Amino acid sequence: MSYEKCKMISIKPKSNQIFITIAPNNVIPLSYGRCEYAPKEHCSLEDKLMYLMISMLDGNIQISQLNNSTIPFEYALIKVREHFRENDINEYGSKYDKIHKLYDEELSKYVDINNWEECNKFCKENKELINKIERKINKDLYKREFEIFKKSIYEQTNDKYYLKDKYGRVIEFVRETSRGYSFRTYAEPNNDCIIDYKLACIRKEQMGKDYEIIKYEKVQESNRNEVKEEDEYEEDIF
């Protein structure tokens, strides 16, 4: 499956633009380029953001680097997927099927959809109408998911957190590996372990159910520098 690796996302509300820095996953070496997302769509910033959400849920755009610009979007995707898991894991697939059904139903009001040549000609000559139909279908089908996605992107918290494993050890996520990830463990939290909530949620999603997110309390401030590092581990996720 081919998709776009994304390492930067920038939202420009004043100019109604979204910029992404992407590279095709099947081209080596990777060559990233910055471009405007959906520049030809004459629609609102929220509509463009919804298109981006759907592309990310479909796997057509995947976050390749976690930084201040991409963490909110990866976190928002986790929250949307949690919504699907808590309600109906098959709901997303059924939405995908409904899109095509509703699109055909709406398009049939204007043209014979069984006549491919006539239908294709109509779509080319009425792109603005086609885009309007697609936007309405997306808004109706993904209303709740988009509310979660948008709220999660802009969600703010000043508190700090860390991960703890089932043995009570504090975790520092080191890096992703070819088979999973590597991490270090500590007896108490320190600067290398303390992260913001969104990143903590992402790391927990990567590492699995044996890890929990703990809110950092500054009671260890006086002895934080005395904490000694334990062993480094690698864990497969396959």
Side-chain angles (χ1 to χ4, degrees):
M1 172 186 169
S2 62
Y3 60 90
E4 299 291 339
K5 287 176 170 282
C6 179
K7 69 173 185 178
M8 192 76 68
I9 303 174
S10 177
I11 299 177
K12 306 289 185 182
K14 290 183 178 180
S15 59
N16 193 43
Q17 292 174 299
I18 299 175
F19 289 93
I20 55 178
T21 302
I22 55 176
N25 75 304
N26 54 2
V27 176
I28 300 175
L30 287 176
S31 179
Y32 282 94
R34 186 174 186 265
C35 62
E36 183 180 354
Y37 182 76
K40 296 181 180 179
E41 300 293 337
H42 300 292
C43 55
S44 68
L45 187 65
E46 286 209 350
D47 288 334
K48 292 180 180 181
L49 197 57
M50 179 175 285
Y51 283 136
L52 181 60
M53 179 195 75
I54 295 171
S55 291
M56 297 177 92
L57 285 172
D58 285 346
N60 296 322
I61 297 176
Q62 299 183 22
I63 301 298
S64 59
Q65 295 182 23
L66 292 173
N67 52 54
N68 289 338
S69 79
T70 59
I71 285 173
F73 290 87
E74 188 70 16
Y75 170 76
L77 285 175
I78 289 173
K79 290 303 177 181
V80 173
R81 290 178 183 131
E82 283 180 356
H83 165 74
F84 283 126
R85 285 196 294 266
E86 290 169 0
N87 291 273
D88 182 1
I89 196 65
N90 297 315
E91 185 181 358
Y92 181 73
S94 64
K95 285 180 184 289
Y96 187 81
D97 295 334
K98 285 179 183 178
I99 287 177
H100 297 285
K101 181 181 178 181
L102 292 172
Y103 178 78
D104 287 344
E105 288 177 357
E106 194 66 26
L107 192 61
S108 64
K109 297 177 183 179
Y110 304 93
V111 66
D112 181 7
I113 61 173
N114 295 313
N115 186 326
W116 186 86
E117 289 187 1
E118 183 181 337
C119 185
N120 188 50
K121 180 182 178 183
F122 178 86
C123 291
K124 287 182 178 179
E125 293 176 350
N126 297 273
K127 290 184 178 180
E128 188 172 338
L129 173 63
I130 299 303
N131 290 338
K132 186 177 179 180
I133 291 173
E134 291 177 347
R135 286 198 296 271
K136 183 180 185 307
I137 291 172
N138 287 333
K139 284 181 178 179
D140 292 342
L141 280 181
Y142 294 98
K143 181 179 180 181
R144 178 56 183 150
E145 290 77 13
F146 184 59
E147 287 175 355
I148 296 170
F149 186 76
K150 186 172 62 173
K151 179 183 177 182
S152 300
I153 288 173
Y154 296 110
E155 182 181 305
Q156 297 289 335
T157 176
N158 294 322
D159 296 320
K160 294 297 181 180
Y161 296 80
Y162 59 92
L163 292 177
K164 183 178 284 190
D165 67 11
K166 61 183 179 181
Y167 304 107
R169 300 175 301 183
V170 178
I171 301 300
E172 176 198 354
F173 187 98
V174 177
R175 61 182 173 275
E176 294 184 18
T177 66
S178 59
R179 294 183 58 83
Y181 52 85
S182 64
F183 60 95
R184 298 188 183 100
T185 63
Y186 302 84
E188 298 290 344
N190 60 74
N191 283 334
D192 293 325
C193 308
I194 299 167
I195 53 181
D196 66 28
Y197 181 71
K198 291 183 179 181
L199 183 55
C201 288
I202 294 170
R203 293 308 187 200
K204 176 176 167 56
E205 184 79 3
Q206 290 174 311
M207 299 180 77
K209 63 181 181 180
D210 289 336
Y211 301 85
E212 62 176 320
I213 299 172
I214 307 294
K215 184 178 178 181
Y216 175 67
E217 304 291 347
K218 293 188 176 180
V219 293
Q220 290 93 3
E221 189 72 30
S222 60
N223 62 1
R224 191 169 59 187
N225 293 328
E226 299 175 6
V227 175
K228 293 184 179 180
E229 179 184 318
E230 297 182 8
D231 295 329
E232 182 170 324
Y233 301 86
E234 287 199 8
E235 187 162 321
D236 296 343
I237 58 175
F238 301 105

